[in-house]
Amino acid sequence: MEVHLDDLLDKLEAAHNERSLRAALRTFTDRVGFDYFAFLELRGRSATAFSDYPEAWQSHYLSNGYSTRDPVVTTARRSMKITRWAWDDPSLRRGSRDWSFFHEAAAFGLRFGLSIPIRVGFGGTSILAFASDRLRPEKVRLADVGRAHTAVAYLHLKLDQFGGADLMAFTFDLSPRETLCLTWASFGKTMKDTAALIGIGERTVRGYLEQARDKLGARDIKHAIRIALENGLI
C-alpha cells in the first residue's frame, strides 16, 4: 500500500483548532488502514501526547511508567528514522523488556505500527505514530518521506499555535541508579571509575548511562548530562 500525504497536508494547513486537527488525523488514519494515531512532543524529561489510542491502554501506560521504557519512543528519539514495528517481530528476545511491552500493547489492540520522528527546537523531538490490530507495517510504504516529515512539522507548529489544551502531559524520570551513574559521569568519572565507586560491573554502568541517554532523548552521554542538569535531575 502506497500512502500519499497530500490530502493530510491540506487538512492540517487548513485546521483552525485542535478539533479539526484531530479530525484530519482520524480521516487519514482510517484511509491508510490503521486504527489509532498518536502525536508526541518530547523535550528532555517532559512529554505531551495528542492521541486517540484506547483509553484503557493510555491509563495502563501511565500508571506503569511506560513513558520511560517505550521502545517505539526510545528508538525514534535515538535513530530519527521512520520505524515500523510488530508485536511478533522475531528479532525481539522472548522475555525481554521490549518483548513484554509489545505483548502487553497487543492485548489492547496495538499489534503493529509506524512512527515518524523529527527534530524540533531546543533538542526536542516530535513523533507521529500509527497503530493497528491487523495492518502489518511492512505493507505500508510512504510515497514521499519528505512530505511525511512535513506533516509532523505541521502538527508541531499547529499544536503550539492552538495552545495544546487537549494534550496529555507526563514525564520521563530516571531511576536511582541511572541518576547516580549520570551524576558521576557529570563529575568526569569514567565508567570504570563509576563501577568501582558503586560496586557494580562496568558493563552495568554502561547500561544505566545508555538507558538515561535514551529516556532523555540525548545524542550521547554528554548531551544527557546537560539535559539532566538543566532539568534538575542531577
Side-chain angles (χ1 to χ4, degrees), residues 102-149:
F102 283 125
H103 276 69
E104 285 188 45
F108 290 84
L110 309 171
R111 294 173 178 266
F112 310 104
L114 172 76
S115 62
I116 309 166
I118 64 167
R119 289 284 187 216
V120 294
F122 301 100
T125 303
S126 290
I127 305 170
L128 177 57
F130 300 95
S132 174
D133 190 34
R134 60 190 183 280
L135 179 64
R136 297 199 68 90
E138 62 268 23
K139 295 185 179 294
V140 178
R141 188 174 75 83
L142 295 173
D144 188 332
V145 172
R147 286 182 180 274
H149 290 148

Side-chain angles (χ1 to χ4, degrees), residues 1-214:
M1 177 191 300
E2 188 172 70
V3 177
H4 296 273
L5 292 153
D6 291 349
D7 185 58
L8 175 61
L9 287 170
D10 289 344
K11 284 183 169 59
L12 292 178
E13 186 166 5
H16 57 279
N17 56 31
E18 290 178 12
R19 181 177 296 178
S20 52
L21 280 181
R22 185 177 291 275
L25 285 170
R26 184 66 261 163
T27 299
F28 178 78
T29 301
D30 291 337
R31 180 172 297 172
V32 175
F34 284 111
D35 298 314
Y36 308 104
F37 71 82
F39 180 72
L40 295 91
E41 292 270 9
L42 309 152
R43 293 183 186 277
R45 64 187 291 262
S46 300
T48 52
F50 183 72
S51 168
D52 73 345
Y53 276 33
E55 289 187 11
W57 168 249
Q58 293 188 48
S59 297
H60 182 75
Y61 187 98
L62 290 174
S63 63
N64 285 279
Y66 283 172
S67 58
T68 62
R69 53 170 285 197
D70 184 340
V72 176
V73 172
T74 56
T75 298
R77 295 179 93 178
R78 184 171 59 247
S79 72
M80 296 309 300
K81 295 179 180 178
I82 294 175
T83 302
R84 293 165 174 80
W85 56 267
W87 76 292
D88 58 354
D89 186 336
S91 69
L92 294 171
R93 182 171 55 82
R94 185 177 181 85
S96 66
R97 290 210 316 172
D98 288 359
W99 183 91
S100 298
F101 177 89
F102 283 125
H103 276 69
E104 285 188 45
F108 290 84
L110 309 171
R111 294 173 178 266
F112 310 104
L114 172 76
S115 62
I116 309 166
I118 64 167
R119 289 284 187 216
V120 294
F122 301 100
T125 303
S126 290
I127 305 170
L128 177 57
F130 300 95
S132 174
D133 190 34
R134 60 190 183 280
L135 179 64
R136 297 199 68 90
E138 62 268 23
K139 295 185 179 294
V140 178
R141 188 174 75 83
L142 295 173
D144 188 332
V145 172
R147 286 182 180 274
H149 290 148
T150 300
V152 183
Y154 268 35
L155 277 167
H156 165 72
L157 293 173
K158 287 285 188 175
L159 284 171
D160 276 355
Q161 175 186 340
F162 299 149
D166 200 26
L167 296 180
M168 175 180 67
F170 50 96
T171 59
F172 294 84
D173 291 319
L174 301 180
S175 72
R177 280 293 172 89
E178 290 163 356
T179 301
L180 186 55
C181 289
L182 205 59
T183 299
W184 281 122
S186 73
F187 288 121
K189 298 297 184 182
T190 65
M191 294 183 196
K192 184 176 181 179
D193 294 335
T194 300
L197 286 164
I198 301 177
I200 58 177
E202 187 175 344
R203 182 178 298 180
T204 304
V205 172
R206 181 185 300 276
Y208 284 131
L209 289 173
E210 289 176 350
Q211 288 171 24
R213 177 203 64 196
D214 290 346

